[in-house]
Amino acid sequence: MKDTITANDARRSGKTITMAIAILLVAGLLTAEPLAAEPVTPAAAETAAPKRLVVLAPNLVELIFSLGGGAQIIATTDHADYPAAARSIPRVGNYAAIQLEKVVALQPDLVLVWDTGTPAADIKKMQQLGLKVLHFQTSKLEDIANQLQQLGDLVQQPAKAQQLSAAFLQQLNVLKSQYQTQAPVRVFYELWDNPLSTISRDAWPQQHLNVCGATNIFEKASAAYPQVGLEQVIAANPALIIQPISENEPRTLVSWQRWPELQATKYKQIIQPDSDLLHRATLRTLDGVATLCREIAKSRQFYAQVPAASGR
Amino acid sequence: MNLFHLSGLNFQVSIQPLLSCHNLSFRWHPHAGLQQVDLTLHAQDRLGIIGPNGAGKSTLLKLLAGLLRPASGEILLCGQLLSHYSLAEKARSLALLAQDTEQATASTVFELVELGLLPHKQLWQRTDQHDQIRISQVLTQVGLTDKATASVSSLSGGELQRAQFARVLLQGAKLLLLDEPTNHLDVQYQHQLLQSIVSTELTLIASFHDLNLAASYCNQLLLLQQGKVVAVGSPEQVLQPKLISEVFGRRCLVDSNPFDGKPRVTFAPGACND
Amino acid sequence: MMKLLRPFRWLLLIILLLLSCLWCLNTGAVALDWQLLWPCLFDQCDASAQQQILLELRLPRLLLGLVAGAGLALSGALLQNLSRNMLADPYLFGIISGAGLGATLATLLLPQYAVALPLAAFFGALLAMVLVLGFAALGGWQRLDTVILAGVAVSFLLSAVTSLLLYQSEAFAANRVIFWLMGSLARADYQALAVITPCLLVCFALGCLYRRQLDALQWSDQTAQSLGVAVLPIRLLFLLLTAALTACIVAYCGGIGFVGLMIPHLVRLLFGGQTLVLLCGSMLCGSMFLIWVDAGARTLLPEQELPLGVITAGLGSLFFLLLLSRKGQRPL
């Protein structure tokens, strides 16, 4: 009995964890309007500007570095690997558990947490221990700009934050106006190969597809990151297959060559964008989106030139 | 039941049976069960229940031990309905030596025997000095003094049965029910165990596979066939060659055991039937 | 040597437990000063960060480890005696899957209330237990095997529901629930202690009072009954008690497997199988084992915490392999 349960758990956790890590860690520590339980008022921030930050999300670390405030980060979590300087910051846990002792011993002025990626029990405990905790959550690309401004106040670079966030929004608008209204390309977004998983309308990377004028064949699935059958993909016969990959977190890919009757295979319409850029909510996200849009646009052009192929 | 009746000029006490049952029935299957068993047992009687497999020997013992509720009929223990006894009272009056297939292998002989105190103790009472002495006494009685601290799993089958018997002695019941006490025991242990049991003054009801053991150690036998009592009486009365051949479906010969003069049954081997 | 130590084994065990407590208080991700340990425990030291780490992080965690370890081992010992099945375990009733379902619902529906998770996990565990006992009652209580089989069935049913819910939800929730199921003492606070400790004490007290009945049950139901034990009521009482105790522990600590299975085995080897000895020994050893495991979880990896279930399951399986190879042909 014990065996069956353990085996079951192991099987389930094995599967789900690899997938969750793929989605979550590589993916997004997405941030936006702070739902501060202990709000740091602007006045308080001015009088006692926080100098020592514990930042428990890789994307927030990256944003702070782009504002030039990296030196203020005294501790962070696993997977905070960009820019290179971030790799030398001391670690105090991961998305499963934070080493509270270390956080307390560091006596930070402020702890920045990511609501979905930091364990809720640890957040609660930190508040009980009297630490100042600031919450972040991201659901839209535009949220990155808001976050920048907020972090700019924290690290006392409001002007730079203003400038970067304006540039970010502008770049986003350019991408939207360039690609969003183009003829839709039907794509399959291969998030993970085994179990075969993809994204639907509630997932973070779906926004990228919207910006680039691509139609996700599984957009209407009820789960945000659904598992799908190979047969479903073959039946939907996408024009383009997107296989996001990461240099830091290598993974295996589905070999679509085994299905030559698939439109995407037949015309070699398979692209492999950088998932570090696409899945993490930082300033680099738009670089990733821009590349993705270009690749999708190439595919769009290709099918425009081969009219016979564009029909299903 | 405790009747006094006038007989001439003297009051004479009619001897009250220790255990009696009337019209006892129980069904373990729609078409099979015990039917209308009557029996009366006086103090220090030793009753052997014999019969082929499935005749209802174990069921009868369980009914008498109060482990099963009869479909009809009543059991009287010392003149009172068995069903009116509380669990602890029942345990103090009758003890059961069941065939435990499972063993608590981690316990010691002392701990096994100590269980006999259970019906005599309140929840919070400890095993005191006096109890310890009594435990040593019963261990001496069954000849296991030197095994008191040994683990139960290190005992031979015969020693284990004797340890169980010591537990039953400590339980202090006057009536002892034995379910196939000699099963799985070597011949010398069978006799050793039964000898130590009959050497006490306990009243005994035991089921037996071996008719000759039953004849040697019991003064009454009860023969069951398909849930019905076929014969009851002294070993000489019950162990009739014709009856036994009929019930067990095999030719047999009854003579007298040269050692104790009790009847001895020998069944015809193999092809010698008919 | 062992013979010589025998009379003092209880004393030794208690001393060892106390030393372990001190050692665990002084072990952690942050190195603390030995000399400061005592004054800081009694609120008389100047290093406020050190005091906060000791009093608000390590002490509740240590205490929770003590009661949770004792509780799991006690439940395991009671269940093994009750069922005469040496592989019985507090998670027998699908308690862990029930708690998992509760935790999942709390994570999905009420993510903003931290108190919702242990509460929901507790009710989930209770639901599992009620289902199992209900099925077993339908089966007529003939054998305890019925209860175990019902436990397996309920376990799978609730796991299926949990998986479905998690699958339909965001990936983060699945992640959180899975890590919660792997067990941790990080949730430790005095509220958890206030819930678990009374349960533990009631179980222990009743176990001690009914020690003879539990001893008798180790032989057979017939023997126990003939000794005057009300087999069914006692079994039901202790099934409910252990299930409630385990549910409380699971609600705060998640799934910590193998403690309830392994510790009673160890105690039987060291101290013997009589109920009273087994219960006391299991509680002491269980406490000690879990605080060691937690100290390991906090320090084995320099930059992270390990889930407790990972360590206990690893050690547990090693223990049983060792036991099997030592006993050879003899069954457990």
Side-chain angles (χ1 to χ4, degrees), chain B residues 5-146:
Chain B
H5 61 95
L6 213 55
S7 162
L9 292 173
N10 302 322
F11 285 110
Q12 192 183 353
V13 180
S14 81
I15 302 165
Q16 185 196 45
L18 182 67
L19 180 96
S20 61
C21 66
H22 307 288
N23 201 14
L24 198 61
S25 300
F26 181 84
R27 299 215 154 272
W28 61 78
H29 187 269
H31 306 294
L34 279 180
Q35 291 167 34
Q36 296 167 350
V37 177
D38 290 293
L39 69 87
T40 308
L41 204 70
H42 290 91
Q44 297 186 29
D45 272 350
R46 294 194 297 275
L47 174 70
I49 303 174
I50 52 176
N53 282 337
K57 303 190 291 284
S58 288
T59 307
L60 180 55
L61 274 175
K62 283 181 192 166
L63 282 169
L64 295 177
L67 298 181
L68 292 175
R69 193 187 298 267
S72 69
E74 55 188 21
I75 303 167
L76 294 167
L77 181 64
C78 301
Q80 278 188 43
L81 274 176
L82 187 66
S83 51
H84 289 180
Y85 277 72
S86 78
L87 281 169
E89 281 168 2
K90 207 190 289 175
R92 287 193 290 265
S93 312
L94 66 85
L96 173 72
L97 194 53
Q99 275 289 299
D100 284 355
T101 44
E102 291 136 314
Q103 309 180 359
T105 47
S107 34
T108 64
V109 174
F110 185 91
E111 288 162 4
L112 165 59
V113 177
E114 198 185 350
L115 287 179
L117 293 173
L118 202 151
H120 300 278
K121 291 282 182 187
Q122 299 297 330
L123 291 181
W124 54 87
Q125 280 181 317
R126 293 177 43 126
T127 304
D128 56 26
Q129 205 77 45
H130 174 69
D131 300 323
Q132 305 229 355
I133 294 169
R134 287 201 49 217
I135 293 173
S136 337
Q137 282 172 349
V138 292
L139 277 173
T140 314
Q141 202 173 337
V142 299
L144 286 175
T145 320
D146 52 332

Side-chain angles (χ1 to χ4, degrees), chain A residues 1-6 8-9 12-13 16-17 19-21 23-25 28 30 78 89-105 107 114-122 124-125 128-130 222-228, chain C residues 27-30 48-49 52-53 56-58 60 87 89 91-94 96-97 111 114-115 148 151-152 155-156 159-160 162-163 167-172 174-176 178-179 181-182 186-189 191 257-258 261 298 301-305 313:
Chain A
M1 136 108 214
K2 184 74 221 165
D3 287 349
T4 51
I5 287 182
T6 327
N8 190 31
D9 285 351
R12 199 175 53 202
S13 36
T16 324
I17 288 174
M19 223 189 82
I21 288 176
I23 294 164
L24 236 183
L25 297 190
L30 329 179
D78 288 359
I89 302 173
R91 310 283 145 147
V92 289
N94 55 21
Y95 56 96
I98 302 296
Q99 292 178 300
L100 296 174
E101 286 187 10
K102 279 194 180 170
V103 176
V104 170
Q107 297 187 285
W114 161 48
D115 263 349
T116 35
T118 312
D122 287 339
K124 183 185 154 219
K125 194 90 194 179
Q128 283 174 353
L129 290 168
S222 61
Y225 298 93
Q227 285 179 33
V228 293
Chain C
T27 308
V30 177
S48 71
Q52 196 174 27
I53 288 174
E56 292 180 44
L57 288 174
R58 287 192 191 168
L87 293 178
D89 180 271
Y91 294 154
L92 196 67
F93 311 97
I96 189 71
S97 11
V115 69
I148 296 175
V152 176
S155 211
F156 278 116
S159 299
T162 307
S163 299
Y167 180 65
Q168 290 295 331
S169 71
E170 44 150 4
F172 310 106
N175 212 41
R176 281 198 298 271
I178 282 165
F179 277 97
L181 282 176
M182 286 185 189
R187 210 170 270 280
D189 54 22
Q191 182 206 353
F258 274 103
L261 188 57
R298 285 180 292 141
L301 294 185
E303 291 172 349
Q304 314 170 349
E305 268 188 21

Side-chain angles (χ1 to χ4, degrees), chain C residues 57-201:
Chain C
L57 288 174
R58 287 192 191 168
L59 192 60
R61 209 167 157 154
L62 175 79
L63 294 175
L64 184 62
L66 288 174
V67 292
L72 288 173
L74 179 72
S75 307
L78 281 171
L79 283 174
Q80 288 174 12
N81 271 17
L82 278 181
S83 62
R84 289 191 295 277
N85 181 347
M86 291 305 120
L87 293 178
D89 180 271
Y91 294 154
L92 196 67
F93 311 97
I95 281 181
I96 189 71
S97 11
L101 178 59
T104 308
L105 284 172
T107 309
L108 295 184
L109 303 179
L110 303 164
Q112 64 275 40
Y113 301 108
V115 69
L117 198 145
L119 217 62
F122 177 77
F123 283 113
L126 229 54
L127 169 75
M129 192 183 78
V130 167
L131 282 178
V132 170
L133 293 182
F135 282 136
L138 280 183
W141 289 110
Q142 276 99 354
R143 298 185 53 111
L144 210 72
D145 298 3
T146 328
V147 184
I148 296 175
L149 283 178
V152 176
V154 167
S155 211
F156 278 116
L157 176 70
L158 297 183
S159 299
V161 177
T162 307
S163 299
L164 182 69
L165 284 173
L166 285 180
Y167 180 65
Q168 290 295 331
S169 71
E170 44 150 4
F172 310 106
N175 212 41
R176 281 198 298 271
V177 169
I178 282 165
F179 277 97
W180 179 84
L181 282 176
M182 286 185 189
S184 162
L185 296 179
R187 210 170 270 280
D189 54 22
Y190 292 101
Q191 182 206 353
L193 288 170
V195 172
I196 298 173
T197 315
C199 274
L200 176 68
L201 292 180

Side-chain angles (χ1 to χ4, degrees), chain A residues 198-218:
Chain A
T198 185
I199 57 168
S200 77
R201 59 176 173 246
D202 295 327
W204 172 257
Q206 176 67 36
Q207 303 178 75
H208 311 339
L209 298 183
N210 293 345
V211 169
C212 298
T215 315
N216 177 2
I217 55 173
F218 290 108

Side-chain angles (χ1 to χ4, degrees), chain A residues 274-285:
Chain A
D274 184 347
S275 62
D276 284 347
L277 302 185
L278 291 177
H279 293 172
R280 194 176 283 180
T282 70
L283 285 180
R284 292 187 295 153
T285 309

